[in-house]
Amino acid sequence: MSLNAESTAFRSALEVIRAVEPRVADAIGAELADQRESLKLIASENYASPATLLTMGNWFSDKYAEGTVGRRFYAGCQNVDTVEALAAEHARELFGAAHAYVQPHSGIDANLVAFWAILADRVESPALKKAQVRQVNDLTEADWFALRRELGNQRMLGMSLDAGGHLTHGFRPNISGKMFDQRSYGTDPVTGLVDYDKVAEAAREFKPLILVAGYSAYPRKVNFRIMREIADSVGATFMVDMAHFAGLVAGKVFTGDFDPVPHAHIVTTTTHKSLRGPRGGMVLCQPELADQVDRGCPMVLGGPLPHVMAAKAVALAEARRPDFADYAQRIVDNAQALAEGLLRRGGTLVTGGTDNHLVLIDVSGYGLTGRQAEQALLDSGIVTNRNSVPQDPNGAWYTSGIRIGTPALTSRGLGTAQMDETAELIHTVLSQTKPGANPDGTPSKAKYVLDAAVADRVAKQASDLLSGYPLYPAVDLG
Ligand code: PLP
């Protein structure tokens, strides 16, 4: 029997790897087997296409290419220029952006590039101006001191972590929280929605240099036209981090006021979540920020990863095909079906539902912490992650929420009927799990009790459900 191209390619690659370090080849094979078996509801994960995956394993990995297309600090970058230019072109066309920078290695890195570009564009600093035009030798020690003082401590207003914002939007565990003076806007305590009047009030009081929109765990759309008006009213640069929902923008599910690209000065994203590309980041911006954005490497980034930029070009080409719009719409349809299934069974959801790719379950209604719920679901073959809910009494470690998302299961082909079955499995586990106790009898936020027979039965049902939707059906590793 002759093998198809994908099976031949992956089998051959594993054979070559196995000859050097068989344990790595085994781990790669085991990872595919595990992914095939698990009901993956992690909102930030997906399954890249075989073409995208294969594009990362080649000679581009060996190439240094600091600089940008046509202006490199290394010789022999003509082929890297080809793939970087292609990825940028696909990104501009796909999102209707004036400029695209495809070098960031991840979403965090893309945000750092954006922060630097905004600081360099906006902060009034004669020393910085000199440094930018490369008169660095003319700068005195006092100039450098002034430059550091002026660049630090600028103001950023972003969404609070427990309302669904991201660490890189000015929170302490990330450098952004150390270099910026940050304030957050939350969500309405009753509806759970962004209250634009409150954002405007906070912006008027705080006068941020940067207004950030974008989230990791907010299950609703954000009106970027209104956010831009707020930014303009206080002279802030408006930045959107669309890492989570880039696929919904690419697939034209988020249009008009909900498409960040025409409204923001600068947009950052990851390429591996709903966009379904390789692990990486990207920055899209208005022409006036392009020059600063292109300084990302070596300003804050290590050397570009040409093999990943090539894979970005492939994945972005895929996202420009008409069937990607259908995929993006199905992600949202599935998330809504999952939300409805949970609500119908008595679950409590932050904001009462979803209009994007994710659902945030408040598991305190089941008497559990997020940590207990996450582990009980994992025991039952359902992979999710715990997440804070607004004003979470259990903090960021134990949490009271479970975040689930549909990009990965939608890539496997599951539809709304299967989402209802998934809701049933989740509800069964959460309603059968009881909080556990510490050895001294006090209540534990981590321990839980779930009958192994229930966990096994749900895991079997999850596996049966997935068996109708094989992952990478064309890939047979033998
Ligand atoms: N921005 C947002 C909104 C995210 O949700 C994430 C990751 O979860 C990131 C940035 C960081 O992305 P990465 O893990 O690629 O650095």
Side-chain angles (χ1 to χ4, degrees):
M1 187 192 84
S2 73
L3 283 176
N4 61 33
E6 282 101 336
S7 300
T8 307
F10 285 107
R11 277 192 191 195
S12 303
L14 286 177
E15 195 180 315
V16 174
I17 296 165
R18 180 162 286 111
V20 181
E21 176 48 288
R23 289 170 295 184
V24 169
D26 288 347
I28 295 171
E31 181 60 27
L32 176 60
D34 289 352
Q35 295 214 16
R36 280 178 162 161
E37 277 299 301
S38 68
L39 195 75
K40 179 151 93 172
L41 283 163
I42 299 212
S44 50
E45 291 189 5
N46 210 329
Y47 303 110
S49 71
T52 298
L53 295 177
L54 288 166
T55 306
M56 284 184 278
N58 59 64
W59 305 270
F60 272 131
S61 168
D62 297 333
K63 200 68 200 104
Y64 244 111
E66 275 182 27
T68 47
V69 176
R71 289 178 58 233
R72 304 284 184 190
F73 292 90
Y74 286 80
C77 291
Q78 58 283 2
N79 301 310
V80 179
D81 279 359
T82 302
V83 295
E84 181 169 353
L86 264 174
E89 181 190 319
H90 283 313
R92 286 193 307 271
E93 293 292 326
L94 178 63
F95 292 106
H99 183 72
Y101 182 64
V102 298
Q103 291 189 12
H105 308 163
S106 73
I108 287 191
D109 292 9
N111 285 349
L112 264 184
V113 172
F115 296 151
W116 165 255
I118 297 169
L119 288 174
D121 180 57
R122 294 289 313 279
V123 175
E124 280 304 319
S125 162
L128 178 63
K129 290 277 169 313
K130 274 196 212 169
Q132 292 281 31
V133 291
R134 308 200 201 293
Q135 295 168 335
V136 281
N137 293 339
D138 300 345
L139 266 72
T140 62
E141 272 309 308
D143 284 334
W144 285 112
F145 185 80
L147 188 153
R148 287 193 288 271
R149 199 188 49 226
E150 287 155 7
L151 288 189
N153 228 21
Q154 293 291 333
R155 292 180 173 181
M156 173 185 289
L157 179 63
M159 191 179 222
S160 70
L161 266 187
D162 72 353
H166 191 255
L167 282 179
T168 52
H169 304 171
F171 296 95
R172 294 291 148 89
N174 178 254
I175 183 82
S176 60
K178 298 180 168 84
M179 61 190 269
F180 286 100
D181 176 9
Q182 197 263 16
R183 216 175 268 182
S184 322
Y185 55 88
T187 45
D188 182 89
V190 178
T191 62
L193 302 175
V194 172
D195 179 339
Y196 297 99
D197 291 337
K198 286 264 164 57
V199 180
E201 197 180 305
R204 268 196 308 276
E205 273 174 20
F206 190 50
K207 304 226 171 352
L209 179 81
I210 309 177
L211 174 65
V212 186
Y215 50 78
S216 302
Y218 179 68
R220 296 291 177 178
K221 292 188 205 177
V222 172
N223 188 314
F224 299 115
R225 179 184 54 76
I226 300 179
M227 293 296 278
R228 171 62 187 262
E229 283 169 12
I230 296 171
D232 285 348
S233 73
V234 295
T237 296
F238 181 39
M239 166 174 161
V240 177
D241 178 349
M242 65 169 181
H244 258 262
F245 55 89
L248 306 184
V249 179
K252 312 286 179 263
V253 178
F254 285 4
T255 55
D257 292 354
F258 305 102
D259 175 353
V261 179
H263 301 292
H265 296 99
I266 190 160
V267 176
T268 58
T269 186
T270 55
T271 46
H272 49 272
K273 303 190 205 290
S274 55
L275 196 51
R276 206 165 59 183
R279 302 201 74 75
M282 221 161 55
V283 181
L284 309 173
C285 66
Q286 306 283 358
E288 61 273 18
L289 285 168
D291 184 44
Q292 298 297 349
V293 164
D294 283 350
R295 293 175 196 236
C297 167
M299 186 60 72
V300 294
L301 297 178
L305 308 175
H307 55 310
V308 181
M309 292 195 292
K312 286 174 185 168
V314 170
L316 289 164
E318 289 172 343
R320 289 184 67 190
R321 292 185 186 158
D323 61 348
F324 193 87
D326 174 54
Y327 165 64
Q329 185 57 54
R330 283 187 292 113
I331 291 177
V332 178
D333 294 345
N334 278 346
Q336 289 176 339
L338 195 49
E340 279 157 27
L342 289 164
L343 287 171
R344 218 174 327 109
R345 291 169 174 87
T348 306
L349 306 182
V350 173
T351 79
T354 179
D355 42 37
N356 57 22
H357 63 298
L358 69 88
V359 175
L360 195 55
I361 312 172
D362 184 341
V363 294
S364 59
Y366 291 101
L368 301 171
T369 64
R371 178 142 177 188
Q372 291 162 331
E374 177 192 79
Q375 286 303 313
L377 288 165
L378 192 62
D379 291 348
S380 315
I382 302 173
V383 188
T384 64
N385 68 279
R386 65 187 187 279
N387 209 100
S388 301
V389 300
Q391 294 97 41
D392 201 315
N394 286 323
W397 179 250
Y398 293 108
T399 82
S400 305
I402 285 288
R403 185 186 70 164
I404 52 182
T406 52
L409 290 185
T410 307
S411 289
R412 274 184 93 137
L414 281 79
T416 51
Q418 293 72 43
M419 291 303 117
D420 195 55
E421 286 181 57
T422 304
E424 172 65 22
L425 299 181
I426 293 172
H427 174 73
T428 302
V429 175
L430 296 182
S431 56
Q432 301 280 324
T433 304
K434 301 286 165 253
N438 294 311
D440 64 2
T442 55
S444 165
K445 289 186 175 185
K447 297 199 166 67
Y448 59 97
V449 182
L450 172 63
D451 186 343
V454 174
D456 290 349
R457 194 183 74 234
V458 172
K460 165 87 174 59
Q461 286 170 323
S463 165
D464 290 347
L465 177 62
L466 289 176
S467 64
Y469 302 88
L471 179 62
Y472 299 114
V475 178
D476 173 6
L477 294 186

